[in-house]
Each structure stands twice: as C-alpha cells, then as structure tokens.
Amino acid sequence: DAKTTQPPSMDCAEGRAANLPCNHSTISGNEYVYWYRQIHSQGPQYIIHGLKNNETNEMASLIITEDRKSSTLILPHATLRDTAVYYCIVRDPRGSTLGRLYFGRGTQLTVWP
Amino acid sequence: DSGVTQTPKHLITATGQRVTLRCSPRSGDLSVYWYQQSLDQGLQFLIQYYNGEERAKGNILERFSAQQFPDLHSELNLSSLELGDSALYFCASSVTVRPYEQYFGPGTRLTVT
C-alpha cells in the first residue's frame, strides 16, 4: 500500500470549511484513497473513498488531483462534533492485503467555536 | 452506532492472565477484523476472518489468537498478558473480504496491571 503524508494537526472555526490534505505521491493505478476518522477513543468511522474522480457524500467531499499524487478531504461546514483524528489511507481493494487497513498518525482536526 | 458490538467495554486484569474479547459484526457482514490501538504504536491491524476462515494476518503476537464462529461472531484471546498489552482493541466488519468500507465497533479497553 502506498505511503501517505498528512499534517499532524489543523484547526478550523465552526461553520467554516475544513480542508484536510494528504500526499500520496507513490500511489499506483489500482489504489484508492480512503478517509476514516476517529473521535477520541471511539472506533474509527469510514468517511469516503475515491479512485480518480471527485466524490461527495453526506459527510464530506474528496478532491483528488489529476495526477492522483495528493487529495483533499473537505468538510463543508465543520461543527464541534467533527473534532477528531482524520486518517488518509491508500490501498488496492483487490490487492493481496485483502481488507487490511494501514493507519498512519493522521491529522488531528480541532474545530473551535 | 455502526452496528458492530464489542464486549466487554473495559477489562482490567493482571500480568500473566488470559482474557477473551468478543465481537459481533453487523448483520450480514461476513468479514471480521481485529485492530489494536496503543499510545506508542497507533492503530495496528491484527487479523482478518472471512466466513469462519482466517484470511489475513498482521503483526499479531503468538500469545494472541482469534477465531470466527459459525454465527459469525469473533473472539480474540490474549494470553500471558504483559503490561504492554494494555490498549484499545477494536473489531471491525465488512460484507466482503475485499471491502471499500469497514465498520468499527466501540472497542474494548484492556488494562493490564
């Protein structure tokens, strides 16, 4: 699985958009970008995934650059409940590692009032 | 609520003892995963089962073992416990063996004294 690089921490004002970057310069053609988050000591929560097109769901939007070497998770209107560690994971869902997820250190997002 | 349940929520035990952690996956999910989260190691994949069979293994210690039963619930057995085994243990589940999404339980906090 490709290695990812995320800033260790970010903060955002409540109601504003939170843009969380992730670099994955060694991503291969079959690898998807996944985002999970973990609110303090709770189980991680799946947010969104994408291959090369931008994706949006009820939680967030995922913007992947054309060369696929980086991506940005966007929380359009951050709330205090979005304070969490956000993990960017790159993996091939059809690869030999099956369902295994590699979690790095992620980005601690703090949303302030 | 992800639909994945884990028991017990907290467990305190002494070094050298053996404990069993239990996980019930979401209804319809055939794959179960175990992860360990400690302060120094972060979230680490331990093992994956699919429909009762072991399918992928991470850095799981020989003192640890797991199984998935015919009703699809899973147990993680930890023996000869050491202080360093103190951690949060998460179970996750998915429909397929190569999922896009995994759903995590609330975790079991193990404290070894």
Side-chain angles (χ1 to χ4, degrees):
Chain A
D1 292 350
K3 182 180 169 63
T4 62
T5 304
Q6 299 178 253
S9 64
M10 295 183 66
D11 57 33
C12 173
E14 191 175 22
R16 305 297 292 267
N19 298 296
L20 295 110
C22 179
N23 285 323
H24 31 79
S25 59
T26 59
I27 192 169
S28 68
N30 298 325
E31 290 180 315
Y32 284 68
V33 180
Y34 298 78
W35 284 83
Y36 282 76
R37 74 179 182 183
Q38 185 177 24
I39 297 169
H40 181 63
S41 295
Q42 296 181 21
Q45 178 188 22
Y46 165 82
I47 301 173
I48 199 167
H49 73 272
L51 181 61
K52 51 185 176 182
N53 297 321
N54 298 338
E55 302 287 344
T56 295
N57 64 19
E58 65 279 2
M59 287 183 70
S61 294
L62 174 60
I63 309 298
I64 303 174
T65 58
E66 196 169 339
D67 63 6
R68 301 209 321 123
K69 292 185 177 182
S70 65
S71 60
T72 301
L73 179 75
I74 301 172
L75 308 178
H77 305 286
T79 71
L80 299 179
R81 287 191 299 262
D82 293 321
T83 293
V85 178
Y86 287 77
Y87 297 98
C88 171
I89 300 168
V90 173
R91 62 181 299 273
D92 178 359
R94 293 172 181 76
S96 60
T97 55
L98 300 178
R100 176 177 185 165
L101 292 175
Y102 290 89
F103 289 88
R105 288 297 180 180
T107 296
Q108 170 66 58
L109 174 69
T110 301
V111 180
W112 45 276
Chain B
D1 183 359
S2 67
V4 178
T5 60
Q6 291 187 245
T7 56
K9 195 169 182 176
H10 300 279
L11 198 49
I12 302 174
T13 190
T15 54
Q17 295 298 305
R18 173 189 169 94
V19 297
T20 298
L21 313 183
R22 182 188 168 102
C23 168
S24 292
R26 292 187 322 156
S27 177
D29 283 0
L30 298 178
S31 204
V32 169
Y33 312 79
W34 286 97
Y35 291 83
Q36 178 192 55
Q37 185 172 34
S38 58
L39 280 173
D40 54 342
Q41 295 290 327
L43 261 166
Q44 295 221 311
F45 169 80
L46 294 178
I47 199 163
Q48 175 186 3
Y49 280 81
Y50 179 76
N51 206 18
E53 290 189 14
E54 181 186 306
R55 296 301 301 270
K57 217 167 185 176
N59 295 326
I60 186 167
L61 299 172
E62 284 192 12
R63 300 183 286 108
F64 295 3
S65 65
Q67 58 184 133
Q68 186 180 27
F69 294 86
D71 68 352
L72 300 176
H73 90 272
S74 178
E75 293 180 357
L76 179 67
N77 300 297
L78 315 175
S79 62
S80 303
L81 284 167
E82 301 175 359
L83 296 177
D85 298 327
S86 295
L88 271 167
Y89 291 84
F90 291 105
C91 168
S93 73
S94 65
V95 174
T96 65
V97 71
R98 299 175 184 274
Y100 290 104
E101 306 163 29
Q102 290 181 29
Y103 296 89
F104 283 77
T108 293
R109 182 176 292 278
L110 173 67
T111 303
V112 182
T113 62

